[in-house]
Amino acid sequence: MDWLSTNWRTVLDLAVSHLYLAGLPLGVGLVVALPLGWAAKSWSRTYPAIITTTGLLYTIPSLALFVVMPIVLGTKILDPVNVVVAMTIYTVALLVRTVADGLRAVPDHVEQAATAMGYRGLRRLLGVELPLAVPVIASGLRVAAVSNVSIVSIASLIGVSQLGDLLVDGYNRVIWGELVTGIAACVVLALALDLLLVAGTRMLTPWLRAQAGRA
Amino acid sequence: MISSLLSWFTDPASWSGGDGIPSRLLEHVGYTVVVIVLAAAIAVPIGLGVGHTGRARWLVTVANSLRAVPTLGLLFAVALWLGPTIRGALAFTIPSICVLVLLAIPPLLAGTYAGIESVDPAARDAAEGVGMSSLQVLRQVELPNALPLLLSGLRSAVLQVVATATIAAYIGLGGLGRYLVDGIALGDYPTTAGGAILVAVLAVLLDGAIALVQRRVVSPGLRAGSRAVGGRGKDSGNAPVEATDTSLLDDPRVRA
């Protein structure tokens, strides 16, 4: 507590960078994953290929991915862009499958009813299928959010600054207050993002609340 | 950058001695095997028990909530706490192994539990109906049915360990992580990148190997597609769209 009361400004600054490094890829990843997941759902022949490729990307350990990123992107080794791109890759890897499965899980009779009502193509996707898939997609986003927050702290080992700095510095100089603050700040950030996503899902799925009310 | 990387890979010195690629690779695989065996010995029986009896589900929830704790922080905290109490070279190894076991438990536990939980109650009832004992039901019906999810839990546990073992090199563990951590510390980019590529390839190969095992040992009737997991049987009553608040609990794929 002593450590925190004298260093809270640093913690706040680092938390902001942490939020940026973990949160931005979450948004970009979702935008990239939506069309990919939709493609995997729509042309079932592409499904195994798309899911396998994104699954393979997810198997690459984070420290390895951070380090290799400059070779792939031609960036500087310390550039935060490496971390953002790496985290976006992980987010996409997690979400493509969820988006595809979420869209696939929309019952046939619902799709048929929507078609009968004149919903077609993009309008049916955006107006009917995507909203119905929100709970599944959101559950994938929650997993991605929590795992992103944890993974981003590893970027401190390659010198990109965020809350992980507290962990590394606390360990190296044996300052328990700093180490514990770092851990707690990461947990709080992960929980905050998670809560935000839960609230967002609730807002986007009013029919689920109506159902719960009836039951 | 790429040419210096190539010359690192082709340099005979990179391939010989205790710091050579073969011995580092062997170390890395060795840690992974030891950790997975220890973690499975703890997590699988608990997962089977919780799934079979339906009691103490909170254990799975607690294990899962561990995932919000940053891996790096957990590793440092345990190393600072246990390290000084252990003498010699093991001062680095034992804390690292402890943390890796701790990290491998949630996916294994969640996979095993979810596997047992997802067994069709009709199959369970039928097994009891033909007079199987509780233990027989578990061994002959629930376990085989739970294998796909159990093995996907194993896959993510292995990935988690392979990935985190590289980070544990920071607190003194051997293995492929040494190239990454030492390379970063010395500003020796070819070594760092070479190590990173080796780790990535190892992770992908191990994942593929378990996927192959999965294909062999899982009963053909249970392969993806023949079950209604939001897949082909999608119009069968309660579609997962309405049924999911799975959140972190059911996705065994979280890693470092």
Side-chain angles (χ1 to χ4, degrees), chain B residues 55-202:
Chain B
R55 272 186 231 143
R57 287 209 185 93
W58 56 269
L59 270 174
V60 183
T61 315
V62 168
N64 276 304
S65 58
L66 251 180
R67 289 171 173 176
V69 177
T71 309
L72 191 67
L74 192 64
L75 195 68
F76 286 162
V78 174
L80 271 192
W81 174 48
L82 284 184
T85 63
I86 304 161
R87 276 153 193 265
L90 287 178
F92 302 119
T93 317
I94 291 179
S96 307
I97 299 283
C98 285
V99 173
L100 292 176
V101 169
L102 214 56
L103 289 170
I105 286 176
L108 278 167
L109 184 57
T112 311
Y113 166 74
I116 300 278
E117 178 87 319
S118 72
V119 174
D120 188 347
R124 204 175 288 153
D125 291 346
E128 274 163 18
V130 298
M132 285 193 187
S133 71
S134 179
L135 213 62
Q136 276 174 323
V137 174
L138 179 63
R139 274 226 335 258
Q140 294 173 25
V141 179
E142 291 179 322
L143 191 57
N145 274 296
L147 266 186
L149 286 176
L150 198 160
L151 288 173
S152 79
L154 176 74
R155 269 169 90 168
S156 55
V158 168
L159 288 181
Q160 173 96 336
V161 172
V162 169
T164 316
T166 56
I167 302 163
Y170 193 84
I171 62 169
L173 195 72
L176 292 171
R178 287 258 61 88
Y179 295 130
L180 287 163
V181 169
D182 296 344
I184 291 168
L186 298 170
D188 176 4
Y189 191 69
T191 304
T192 314
I197 288 168
L198 287 172
V199 175
V201 170
L202 177 66

